[in-house]
Amino acid sequence: MAYFSLVLYYLSQRRVPGRSFRHFFFIPTSLALVTSLLILFYISTTSNLFTHHHPNPKTPLQINSSSSSSTFSFTILRHKTSSAPFAIEAPLTEDGGGQRIESQRSLGPQLGSDGNHVNNNEVFHDRHIFLEDYKEMKRSFKIYVYPHRQDDSFANALLPVDSEPGGNYASESFFKKVLMKSRFITNDPTKADLFFLPFSIARLRHDPRVGVGGIQDFIRDYIFNVSQKYQYWNRTGGADHFYVACHSIGRSAMEKASEVKFNAIQVVCSSSYFLPGYIPHKDACLPQIWPRKEEPHDLLSSNRTKLAFFAGGINSPVREKLLQVWRNDSEIFAHFGRLTTPYADELLGSKFCLHVKGFEVNTARIADSLYYGCVPVIIANYYDLPFADILNWKSFSVIVATLDIPLLKKILKGISSEEYTRLQSNVLKVRKHFQWHLSPIDYDAFYMVMYELWLRRSFSTVTSSNFLKF
């Protein structure tokens, strides 16, 4: 700073013979130059624009619900040596913004619970801790569901569906149907770790007595009745309660029940932390899965001749950009409208399958890609990915910022055959985590969602004075 002061002094003392007009022109130009240098000096010493800092993995990060990264994932781990139920470690994926994919995927080394470096080729952030906690979760985790009878006027929205769930929003119904028959259920609320609010947003949406316009009032009244009839909601302000929703209308359904939005655990498919209503770390992403019954038999032997594939409607600026750039490309197949070939064949015939943001950040395309052994390419900024605190998405997917759509082919072709083999091999390892079963199988979607909830059970130990009241 002393150097710049000397420059200013020199300029003020400099004499120009005759004090010509050029003297008056030189002064403001010089001041502008010096000001620019001062600004650059300030930015370089106070900002991380020019340097990339790697946080100390041993120091838990503070919870921040207003992240600016493109796709965010974090690790929640329960350490035996810690008195806290879980600790949040350094983010493991990309800063989307305007950064190119090369810088997004070149993350620094990370440390596991034992102090050793984490292998980013592994599909779990910490396999040992996950398996250890998973056993404890299955042994001890208990959930109380607020009871409703078959003759309840809204039994259709409060009780599990009779048939096997299907379609684009099946995850919501599948979870409730499997949960109600599981050993996690307790009829003794004093033994419960969490309390389940069993209303179905998808079914309320189609109920003519409620509809889209009446869901907010229904949720508000339901929470009021629960808080009046039972003591458990008021005990923690709803912090040990959760609900599950897959339709995007669920994001606005809590507008008249703010305690649900800010205190309760929201397990939702529309997990965008850019929009209000979803709070990372507190809430969890429910994977959107279209159930498939026939197991593909040629995942490894399939001849994947296409570089990349996408099919879907044009319902967002991101998809419009994809269409504009790659519609007529011979290697990236971006199809909008009805396919003339079977959807499954296109996924089986492609190396990479594109998940591109539509109305929301979430679609069933990630689960589709994994099911058919195709490496997912995620083009959806601000998406809090499913099971991101358990699975290392970097090991089985490619994340591309929406800004980098014109560079998509360069990015994908820049992946070596060895790296692609690793990615696809890991796809086959994680695909079981994205499948529903009426009789749940270890590590399937149901158990993975239960594990996410188990990690968040600690909120029940916090007194209600620490939570928002409205």
Side-chain angles (χ1 to χ4, degrees):
M1 193 60 68
Y3 169 78
F4 293 113
S5 300
L6 289 172
V7 172
L8 289 172
Y9 175 79
Y10 170 76
L11 292 174
S12 64
Q13 297 299 318
R14 190 169 184 267
R15 303 293 183 184
V16 179
R19 297 186 178 274
S20 66
F21 177 77
R22 282 190 303 170
H23 173 74
F24 297 100
F25 175 77
F26 177 76
I27 292 176
T29 303
S30 301
L31 289 175
L33 176 61
V34 172
T35 302
S36 300
L37 291 172
L38 287 171
I39 292 173
L40 286 174
F41 176 78
Y42 174 78
I43 292 176
S44 66
T45 56
T46 61
S47 173
N48 62 356
L49 289 174
F50 301 103
T51 59
H52 182 73
H53 301 285
H54 297 289
N56 183 355
K58 294 184 179 180
T59 305
L61 297 181
Q62 296 296 322
I63 293 177
N64 183 0
S65 62
S66 58
S67 173
S68 60
S69 59
S70 188
T71 304
F72 185 80
S73 67
F74 54 92
T75 307
I76 297 180
L77 302 175
R78 183 178 64 84
H79 297 278
K80 286 185 174 180
T81 57
S82 172
S83 59
F86 57 76
I88 300 174
E89 292 192 344
L92 297 178
T93 51
E94 294 69 23
D95 185 319
Q99 298 297 318
R100 299 304 181 196
I101 198 68
E102 291 82 3
S103 63
Q104 290 178 341
R105 293 179 61 82
S106 58
L107 297 176
Q110 295 149 4
L111 299 180
S113 59
D114 56 0
N116 296 323
H117 288 290
V118 174
N119 184 353
N120 280 325
N121 293 336
E122 295 294 330
V123 298
F124 292 101
H125 293 310
D126 195 315
R127 181 182 179 85
H128 173 73
I129 284 184
F130 169 69
L131 294 177
E132 180 184 357
D133 285 355
Y134 183 88
K135 292 178 183 177
E136 178 62 22
M137 180 266 296
K138 289 188 68 177
R139 185 190 69 82
S140 63
F141 193 31
K142 294 299 177 183
I143 290 177
Y144 180 79
V145 182
Y146 286 108
H148 297 280
R149 301 184 306 183
Q150 290 287 348
D151 60 354
D152 191 298
S153 59
F154 284 98
N156 63 311
L158 298 171
L159 297 178
V161 295
D162 296 327
S163 58
E164 182 173 350
N168 209 20
Y169 306 108
S171 292
E172 176 184 313
S173 298
F174 242 115
F175 176 82
K176 182 161 66 173
K177 189 174 183 68
V178 176
L179 173 66
M180 296 301 288
K181 295 180 179 179
S182 74
R183 54 185 165 184
F184 293 109
I185 296 297
T186 178
N187 293 322
D188 184 355
T190 63
K191 296 181 179 179
D193 297 293
L194 293 177
F195 295 78
F196 180 40
L197 304 167
F199 49 75
S200 168
I201 297 296
R203 295 181 75 81
L204 288 171
R205 174 174 170 259
H206 293 292
D207 192 316
R209 299 168 297 175
V210 182
V212 174
I215 290 180
Q216 294 181 6
D217 292 327
F218 181 94
I219 302 299
R220 178 198 59 200
D221 295 342
Y222 183 85
I223 297 301
F224 176 80
N225 292 333
V226 163
S227 65
Q228 294 298 306
K229 187 175 181 179
Y230 302 92
Q231 60 177 311
Y232 312 109
W233 176 273
N234 297 325
R235 188 175 58 184
T236 62
D240 52 0
H241 288 58
F242 73 96
Y243 75 92
V244 174
C246 197
H247 197 280
S248 59
I249 196 68
R251 190 177 67 246
S252 61
M254 307 301 146
E255 289 302 314
K256 294 183 179 179
S258 298
E259 282 186 298
V260 177
K261 180 167 61 175
F262 291 113
N263 293 349
I265 302 168
Q266 303 178 106
V267 184
V268 294
C269 291
S270 300
S271 54
S272 171
Y273 53 89
F274 177 75
L275 300 174
Y278 181 84
I279 304 175
H281 317 295
K282 176 184 76 69
D283 301 330
C285 176
L286 178 70
Q288 186 169 351
I289 301 169
W290 189 305
R292 311 283 176 182
K293 293 185 178 181
E294 295 184 2
E295 183 76 13
H297 299 291
D298 52 352
L299 293 179
L300 288 175
S301 60
S302 178
N303 185 20
R304 300 182 182 273
T305 57
K306 293 186 178 70
L307 177 64
F309 166 75
F310 174 83
I314 309 175
N315 56 8
S316 72
V318 181
R319 293 187 182 182
E320 289 177 2
K321 183 66 174 178
L322 184 75
L323 174 65
Q324 174 188 343
V325 177
W326 300 112
R327 183 170 195 170
N328 298 316
D329 191 80
S330 60
E331 295 179 281
I332 295 179
F333 186 82
H335 186 88
F336 295 86
R338 192 174 186 84
L339 281 172
T340 57
T341 55
Y343 179 58
D345 290 350
E346 296 294 344
L347 295 173
L348 287 168
S350 303
K351 294 177 64 178
F352 298 96
C353 295
L354 309 182
H355 164 89
V356 186
K357 180 186 181 301
F359 285 121
E360 300 290 342
V361 293
N362 57 290
T363 74
R365 289 176 181 81
I366 290 180
D368 290 344
S369 301
L370 298 174
Y371 189 77
Y372 290 103
C374 186
V375 176
V377 178
I378 301 161
I379 309 176
N381 292 359
Y382 313 110
Y383 188 10
D384 190 14
L385 292 163
F387 315 138
D389 45 2
I390 308 168
L391 300 177
N392 177 14
W393 280 82
K394 185 179 178 182
S395 70
F396 60 91
S397 70
V398 179
I399 299 173
V400 178
T402 57
L403 186 68
D404 287 340
I405 287 177
L407 300 176
L408 183 59
K409 183 184 288 190
K410 179 181 178 182
I411 292 168
L412 298 182
K413 285 199 164 186
I415 296 174
S416 66
S417 59
E418 292 79 8
E419 184 178 2
Y420 176 78
T421 299
R422 175 185 62 82
L423 289 169
Q424 192 192 29
S425 174
N426 288 336
V427 162
L428 301 183
K429 292 177 184 177
V430 303
R431 64 190 294 271
K432 63 184 177 183
H433 304 311
F434 294 81
Q435 297 179 40
W436 292 106
H437 305 94
L438 287 178
S439 296
I441 300 173
D442 262 336
Y443 311 111
D444 70 356
F446 172 72
Y447 278 116
M448 294 293 280
V449 173
M450 292 301 295
Y451 183 78
E452 292 275 20
L453 288 167
W454 185 81
L455 290 174
R456 290 158 173 78
R457 76 201 184 285
S458 61
F459 286 123
S460 64
T461 63
V462 185
T463 60
S464 59
S465 62
N466 292 327
F467 294 93
L468 300 178
K469 305 295 284 186
F470 299 89

